[in-house]
Amino acid sequence: MAGRTRGRGLGMSAGVVGVLGLVLVVGAFGWLRGAYGVSSVGGGSMRPTYGQGDRIVWERVDGSEVRRGDVVLFRPPKSYGFDAPLMKRVVGVGGDRVRCCTLAGAQPRVTVNGKPIEEPYLHGGDADGAHRPYDVKVPKGRLFLLGDYRANSNDSRFHLDEQGGTVSADAVLGRVTDDRAVPALLVAALLLGGVLLLVGIGLGIGFLAVRRRRAPEIAQMPWPVRPSGS
């Protein structure tokens, strides 16, 4: 009787733990894959914020959700000469007027809608870099993108003949984030689910082993003989 109870308990535990682990694995993996991506920085145009080879986490967002100052991963137009996604900073969104450059104090500054913008992330504090003036009214549904290392970035400034160098917001794959809390929790849930799944499999193997051990015992048990009707 004790063996039967033990075997039944193992079977129930295997089912509960295994299903819980499977749910965690599938749920966490699906959420992680659907909401985030991980990439490596391929060039130096975003220095000093992100250097070549840095691993970045980006959240999948619609291009209409990005704002000025966001760093985005996007599919570049053919004129860029790259097939792989690029990473740049959003300086202007639809309706903005972006100009370069205006002297503010001793330093040239990019202006958005007539106001010099603060750019503490710039490499060497250089807002210009290419010494190519521009004055662009960003069309609706498009973005004006620049690298943080202005002297070493292929960005909107060099494609002004194509809608002012702007990129369609639909080309945005995601927004780079330095907040790793949610991805870390999802990874932890994924690992926990994997552990529970393995424990469930182990319990299931134990349950089958108990059943195999009990099978000969059940076969050898004396069963009452029913009298014949003659």
Side-chain angles (χ1 to χ4, degrees), residues 226-230:
R226 304 179 71 182
S228 65
S230 58

Side-chain angles (χ1 to χ4, degrees), residues 21-209:
L22 184 61
V23 169
L24 276 175
V25 167
V26 173
F29 179 77
W31 191 358
L32 194 63
R33 185 173 183 180
Y36 294 93
V38 178
S39 302
S40 293
V41 179
S45 68
M46 290 301 295
R47 289 175 51 203
T49 313
Y50 302 102
Q52 187 169 2
D54 286 352
R55 297 285 285 178
I56 58 169
V57 175
W58 46 278
E59 51 183 340
R60 301 180 193 276
V61 297
D62 187 84
S64 61
E65 298 178 48
V66 302
R67 300 291 179 264
R68 300 184 203 99
D70 287 345
V71 176
V72 297
L73 205 68
F74 67 101
R75 294 182 297 270
K78 291 182 180 179
S79 61
Y80 276 65
F82 293 99
D83 292 329
L86 293 179
M87 183 172 66
K88 304 294 178 188
R89 190 177 297 274
V90 178
V91 174
V93 298
D96 285 342
R97 184 179 182 183
V98 183
R99 298 181 64 187
C100 182
C101 280
T102 298
L103 279 177
Q107 294 293 329
R109 300 266 290 279
V110 173
T111 64
V112 176
N113 302 324
K115 298 180 179 179
I117 59 173
E118 296 292 336
E119 299 189 277
Y121 42 76
L122 291 174
H123 184 278
D126 183 8
D128 187 353
H131 305 293
R132 295 168 62 119
Y134 51 86
D135 187 346
V136 175
K137 182 67 178 290
V138 182
K140 184 178 180 181
R142 300 187 70 85
L143 306 169
F144 194 86
L145 306 171
L146 297 176
D148 289 355
Y149 190 177
R150 299 284 156 82
N152 185 37
S153 177
N154 179 14
D155 48 40
S156 291
R157 298 169 297 169
F158 299 97
H159 305 274
L160 298 176
D161 292 339
E162 299 181 19
Q163 301 197 60
T166 59
V167 172
S168 172
D170 293 336
V172 171
L173 299 173
R175 174 172 50 207
V176 179
T177 177
D178 293 326
D179 184 1
R180 307 294 174 88
V182 175
L185 285 174
L186 291 173
V187 171
L190 184 62
L191 293 175
L192 176 60
V195 170
L196 291 176
L197 190 56
L198 291 175
V199 170
I201 292 172
L203 291 173
I205 292 172
F207 169 66
L208 293 176

